Amino acid sequence: MRTLILNTILAMLFFGCATKNKSMVKPTKNQQAAYLQLAKEKFGEEVEFKFNSDKNYVICEKVNSKLQPNPNQLKEFFVYDIISGTIIYEDKIANAKIEWHNEKQLLITKQRGYITNPEDTGKWAYVFDLITKKKITDIREKN
């Protein structure tokens, strides 16, 4: 009986670790080269890359010129799925900051152009889910 319980526990540990390792697959050189080439074709040489925590997705964001300050400058970006080799989301948003909220969601913070209330910073944010392709929540920022 003890042997059976011990073997069951060891099997669960073994398969649990094996499953964890499968989800943390490291991208190959070809997979990395694909998103780098695609970003270069779309945006040129000035591209910023932001990986999610498990490095399965990357935000490829065009770096805007600092020589031409524009208060309504568009942020052009796309999110690339490294494992499947596809763009899963692409957008252009004015006055925005794009970052990871979690492994499969973006936090997009925008700045309004006109602020009418001195207590209002003009910033607002929302979370965008990459799986459902929907905005799931609005968040007003106080700072």
Side-chain angles (χ1 to χ4, degrees):
M1 184 66 175
R2 262 193 217 172
T3 307
L4 179 62
I5 292 172
L6 183 61
N7 286 339
T8 305
I9 291 171
L10 288 174
M12 288 174 26
L13 286 172
F14 176 75
F15 289 115
C17 292
T19 305
K20 178 74 172 166
N21 287 338
K22 279 185 182 178
S23 67
M24 299 285 285
V25 175
K26 214 171 191 188
T28 65
K29 297 270 187 208
N30 289 341
Q31 290 169 325
Q32 289 177 345
Y35 76 82
L36 292 171
Q37 182 63 32
L38 191 56
K40 186 176 180 180
E41 288 171 7
K42 285 183 165 289
F43 302 139
E45 297 293 328
E46 298 293 321
V47 181
E48 182 179 342
F49 302 100
K50 301 174 191 171
F51 292 90
N52 68 343
S53 61
D54 61 7
K55 302 214 186 294
N56 288 337
Y57 299 120
V58 60
I59 299 170
C60 302
E61 182 180 320
K62 180 179 181 180
V63 176
N64 292 323
S65 171
K66 293 182 179 162
L67 299 175
Q68 300 175 348
N70 180 356
N72 294 317
Q73 202 156 30
L74 283 177
K75 286 285 188 174
E76 295 180 61
F77 69 98
F78 64 89
V79 178
Y80 188 81
D81 182 337
I82 296 172
I83 304 303
S84 71
T86 58
I87 294 175
I88 58 171
Y89 181 64
E90 186 170 9
D91 207 348
K92 296 177 185 178
I93 304 173
N95 302 331
K97 177 181 175 185
I98 295 91
E99 57 193 340
W100 289 104
H101 182 64
N102 62 33
E103 291 162 356
K104 294 183 173 37
Q105 295 177 337
L106 300 175
L107 176 63
I108 300 175
T109 307
K110 294 179 70 172
Q111 176 69 47
R112 283 195 318 271
Y114 297 103
I115 301 171
T116 57
N117 183 346
E119 296 168 5
D120 185 9
T121 63
K123 290 184 182 181
W124 62 280
Y126 62 91
V127 174
F128 185 85
D129 190 285
L130 294 169
I131 305 304
T132 63
K133 306 286 193 275
K134 292 184 180 179
K135 181 172 35 170
I136 57 173
T137 186
D138 282 331
I139 308 163
R140 278 217 191 267
E141 292 200 351
K142 300 291 184 194
N143 46 10

